[in-house]
Amino acid sequence: MRLHFISVLLIVALLPCASQNRAFARGGLPPCGERATSLSEPWIQIGLACLEQVINDPSAGTLAFTALAVAPAGTLYAARPLAGEVYALTDSDGDFLPDKAQLIADGLTLPNGLTVDGGALYIAGGSHVYRWQDGALTTLVSDLPSGGGFWTGGIAIDDGRLYVTTGAPCDFCAADDSARGAVLSYALDGSDRQVVATGLRQPVNLALMDGELWVTDSAREGLFDTPDLDELDRVEVGANFGFPYCVGVANTPDMAGFDCANAAAPAVALPTASTPTGLAVYRGGAIPLLEGKLIVALNGSYNQLDLRGFAIVTVDPLTGTVAPLIPARPENTPNTDFSVQEMNYRGSGFYPQRPLDVAVSDEGWLYVSITDGRILALRP
């Protein structure tokens, strides 16, 4: 088990070994087959990159690492919501993969969103937004609307403003608070709350790409047979995405009293019940095929024989094209000509585990957290 926990509060610098890590990346990594951490499953496209195991700690439970973020120097941060903890993961054995976990913050309320900005780690969870910097934890916001529905989700920073998402109060009901099921904005000190966009159900994650803010969302229960109702939305100020009154890309009326024609249509439609929970922008150049793409973790369907999600996919923000990344056919031959669903059924995908979140380092290495305490890396 490549995991060493230190159970005391430690100060972890955000810039511990950047020059060494980048020098190693420039010099090239050993061939994938020669790395002790390399994996043959889940399947990935041959020649794309090397899939490796970073952390394997089943004792941490199903929701061990629901949120990830990477500092410019390569430190990987991971949130453990049910324990109220955030860890900093650094390399201890010289393979340039983070494996030593240091507890940097505890006693938090359901930490489930992480982002790094300006030498600080920002954490969203429950009714709180926290900032961790230089070993000190500061509570910036303590009154986010939460409870009774979906967890507080994504967090992002752009142009001196902090953005955070809140879940709807229930699976299918109208909120009596415009700040529920919404994207909110704050000054970096937690003041000046503004409601940016509304009409979301389960907005688990945010990502900023070329000045545009993107958010994930998923459809309510009971719509499994209606295709492509989960979504990736481009956030605009004042947008209402229609929950709970409208469903689908055609904005079909779902309840009386709301003009669905005015609801913002999703930018990208995803399979109903695929449940997008992780979102990151790919930059860094290490895996050229991914450059300029959005990376989305599809957590997967529940209580259905038809498996949807259970995958990491790429989204082209210009065309809306969705393509499988993990699992994906390793080569185009009759013996490997399986759909994502078939790969999951046969054990070549994530199933029965589920992907939770994705994060990209400055070098362009992709980290993926999955249930039962595992974190994987996709790198050259």
Side-chain angles (χ1 to χ4, degrees), residues 171 201-202 217-221 223 229-231 247 272-273:
D171 180 61
R201 173 182 172 270
Q202 190 182 12
D217 200 13
S218 56
R220 63 177 174 87
E221 295 181 8
L223 298 174
L229 297 184
D230 288 6
E231 56 194 57
V247 298
T272 303

Side-chain angles (χ1 to χ4, degrees), residues 56 94 115 125 138 146 155 179 192-193 208-209 211 267 288 331 348 357:
N56 185 3
T115 192
T138 303
S146 62
I155 185 169
D192 187 31
R193 185 173 87 174
L208 185 73
M209 184 176 194
E331 54 187 333
S348 301
D357 198 15

Side-chain angles (χ1 to χ4, degrees), residues 145-172:
S146 62
F150 301 100
W151 287 4
T152 301
I155 185 169
I157 293 175
D158 178 41
D159 196 23
R161 299 286 297 183
L162 185 153
Y163 296 85
V164 62
T165 61
T166 62
C170 63
D171 180 61
F172 185 38

Side-chain angles (χ1 to χ4, degrees), residues 60-204:
T62 299
L63 297 179
F65 306 114
T66 60
L68 303 175
V70 190
T75 298
L76 177 65
Y77 295 96
R80 184 170 289 181
L82 297 182
E85 299 171 340
V86 174
Y87 287 86
L89 309 171
T90 53
D91 175 37
S92 70
D93 58 10
D95 65 356
F96 294 88
L97 288 176
D99 62 278
K100 184 176 72 173
Q102 299 174 325
L103 177 66
I104 62 169
D106 60 1
L108 309 181
T109 304
L110 294 173
N112 193 46
L114 301 175
T115 192
V116 174
D117 183 79
L121 175 69
Y122 292 82
I123 307 163
S127 59
H128 296 87
V129 176
Y130 310 91
R131 181 179 61 224
W132 183 86
Q133 187 170 23
D134 299 329
L137 185 72
T138 303
T139 300
L140 302 176
V141 178
S142 59
D143 60 351
L144 281 177
S146 62
F150 301 100
W151 287 4
T152 301
I155 185 169
I157 293 175
D158 178 41
D159 196 23
R161 299 286 297 183
L162 185 153
Y163 296 85
V164 62
T165 61
T166 62
C170 63
D171 180 61
F172 185 38
C173 64
D176 57 5
D177 182 352
S178 63
R180 294 297 302 260
V183 178
L184 307 180
S185 172
Y186 294 84
L188 290 184
D189 63 0
S191 64
D192 187 31
R193 185 173 87 174
Q194 300 175 15
V195 178
V196 178
T198 57
L200 296 162
R201 173 182 172 270
Q202 190 182 12
V204 180

